[in-house]
Amino acid sequence: MGAVFRMLNHRGISTRRIAAAVDITQGRLYDYMNGKSRVEKLVIFEQIADAFHIPGHLLGLARRSWEPAIDAQPQPQPQPDGNDLTAMDAFRSADRQTGGGRLYEAVVQHLKDRVAPRLVGLSSGHDVFAAAAALTEMAGWMAHDSGQDDLAQGHFQRALPLAQTSGDLPLAAHIAASSSHLALQTGDVAGAAHWAQVGLDLAGRGPRIAALASRLHTMHARALAVADQHTFAHRALDQARRNLDASADTEHPWLSPFDLGRLASEAALILVDLGEHDAALDAAEEAVAMRGADRTRSLALSRITLVDIHVRRGDLDAALDVGHALLSTSPTLGSVRVVRQLDHLRATLEPHRAYGPVREYLGRFDDARRARMLLLADLIPSPGGTRI
């Protein structure tokens, strides 16, 4: 509601009028607008909806008495704006190559300049809210790739109600899957499982999309594996595989692809957490084989996982063989997430420094890391929290 009040104020409605409409003081209104307090009384939601003719469903209310009767005839699904889809595809393609660090500001600016003004227009349709949700979710991923997880969480939190407002349940489920991933990365295992289940519930109420269901079951399996729930993790992973094996009977313009390569990459991580390193090795090798040079970040992450598995299995020569290929990853890849995983990988190899080839490799690794840090100095936060 604070965001609604700010939006009304920006459109020229005085804070005095807003406060009078909902029967509160201006001081209390400022607290809502600044995020110091949250609106909890249903009567305030109803009063603001009626005072400014905001349709009830946009505020989670029943249809207001002044709203026109709903046509009982089914309405065709709105088609996304071609320009929005073109922008989404362009950002997605560039992100695979260069990482989110170089693109985050551009996506946010696109949202501000091209999408946000249409959200508050009198003729804004559901497709605009879907575009806003999809691009906001993409901004969240780019923030995560830039090492700014708090910022990413904020984007995901904003994207979900936008998707729900649009009525696009698959998109809402897709965003829930992203929230599950982020929760897992930040150590919130219970949150990861919760968001995966939320996504499965949303997906179950919408059109069947096999790849989306597979992604959600995969995220559920990852949370269960971290929680050491072996049986349930395997069940969820098997369900993910069955869904992806099934032919997709519905396509969706806003959902990023979840293919066999993504499933293999996630399966490798699940199996590592379950301590099943031989099976994890097969999945990781499959993930690397399925990623071409046009998927720079995915290939780097899959190789990092593969090196880690070889080390866990005690096969240092195989680990170094993949590790040398890993050093060929573009040093300009703007992904703080990749840099952090590379640092973790180095820490994994350090205890084996007594082995000559490992010692030699770590020297090459450190040289490559210094060069990478110089090229990414504008993206990597310094120890003090500011960017260099």
Side-chain angles (χ1 to χ4, degrees):
M1 290 304 295
V4 173
F5 293 145
R6 290 195 301 272
M7 189 181 299
L8 290 168
N9 186 232
H10 290 163
R11 296 193 68 182
I13 301 175
S14 69
T15 55
R16 182 187 299 275
R17 181 182 168 196
I18 297 172
V22 295
D23 195 25
I24 57 175
T25 65
Q26 283 187 277
R28 175 58 60 88
L29 176 65
Y30 291 138
D31 286 343
Y32 291 144
M33 294 174 67
N34 296 329
K36 294 181 180 179
S37 298
R38 292 177 59 86
V39 174
E40 296 179 351
K41 293 182 178 180
L42 177 63
V43 65
I44 296 182
F45 286 87
E46 293 174 336
Q47 286 174 328
I48 199 68
D50 294 338
F52 299 102
H53 276 213
I54 299 174
H57 75 276
L58 293 180
L59 298 181
L61 303 172
R63 186 175 66 87
R64 312 308 297 158
S65 59
W66 47 265
E67 290 186 58
I70 298 174
D71 187 351
Q73 295 298 318
Q75 298 297 316
Q77 289 295 314
Q79 295 300 311
D81 184 279
N83 292 330
D84 291 328
L85 283 177
T86 299
M88 183 79 169
D89 289 342
F91 284 132
R92 185 174 288 155
S93 177
D95 176 55
R96 291 169 180 164
Q97 282 284 344
T98 65
R102 306 290 183 199
L103 297 168
Y104 172 73
E105 294 295 342
V107 174
V108 170
Q109 198 62 47
H110 181 87
L111 277 163
K112 289 180 179 178
D113 294 345
R114 303 294 182 88
V115 180
R118 290 150 55 203
L119 286 175
V120 296
L122 294 178
S123 60
S124 59
H126 288 185
D127 56 326
V128 179
F129 285 91
L135 286 160
T136 300
E137 188 252 1
M138 172 174 277
W141 271 102
M142 290 179 175
H144 172 52
D145 204 35
S146 304
Q148 303 178 81
D149 288 343
D150 289 344
L151 189 60
Q153 184 178 37
H155 283 298
F156 291 158
Q157 288 175 343
R158 293 182 181 91
L160 184 57
L162 287 167
Q164 290 172 315
T165 298
S166 76
D168 193 327
L169 291 174
L171 178 56
H174 177 75
I175 294 166
S178 297
S179 295
S180 177
H181 171 92
L182 184 64
L184 195 65
Q185 295 300 302
T186 56
D188 182 7
V189 180
H194 164 75
W195 280 114
Q197 191 59 59
V198 168
L200 287 167
D201 292 342
L202 289 166
R205 290 156 41 200
R208 179 182 178 278
I209 301 177
L212 173 61
S214 179
R215 182 188 179 204
L216 288 160
H217 282 296
T218 300
M219 294 314 305
H220 197 204
R222 286 202 62 185
L224 291 167
V226 173
D228 207 25
Q229 299 291 317
H230 287 240
T231 300
F232 294 110
H234 272 294
R235 286 180 185 173
L237 181 56
D238 289 343
Q239 186 64 49
R241 287 169 172 155
R242 285 194 295 270
N243 274 278
L244 206 55
D245 285 342
S247 59
D249 53 10
T250 304
E251 294 184 355
H252 194 289
W254 292 122
L255 273 56
S256 57
F258 187 84
D259 55 16
L260 288 171
R262 281 281 302 277
L263 178 58
S265 178
E266 299 287 358
L269 297 171
I270 292 166
L271 294 166
V272 166
D273 286 331
L274 294 175
E276 301 175 19
H277 297 146
D278 290 346
L281 177 63
D282 292 339
E285 288 178 337
E286 183 181 359
V288 170
M290 288 185 173
R291 288 296 175 241
D294 61 328
R295 303 291 293 272
T296 306
R297 182 182 54 215
S298 294
L299 182 57
L301 292 171
S302 295
R303 281 174 170 163
I304 289 170
T305 300
L306 184 54
V307 174
D308 178 71
I309 293 170
H310 279 309
V311 173
R312 290 172 185 268
R313 297 177 75 249
D315 193 344
L316 294 178
D317 290 330
L320 295 176
D321 185 53
V322 180
H324 285 296
L326 179 60
L327 294 183
S328 66
T329 302
S330 171
T332 59
L333 175 64
S335 173
V336 177
R337 184 159 51 119
V338 169
V339 170
R340 288 177 175 172
Q341 292 207 26
L342 284 170
D343 288 345
H344 177 75
L345 185 63
R346 192 198 186 287
T348 299
L349 286 166
E350 181 64 31
H352 304 280
R353 174 179 281 275
Y355 183 48
V358 171
R359 188 165 56 252
E360 179 185 351
Y361 176 76
L362 289 176
R364 283 195 61 202
F365 184 100
D366 291 341
D367 289 341
R369 187 185 188 281
R370 280 191 289 271
R372 183 180 297 276
M373 294 300 286
L374 286 173
L375 290 169
L376 301 181
D378 59 322
L379 297 178
I380 308 294
S382 68
T386 57
R387 297 188 185 280
I388 302 172

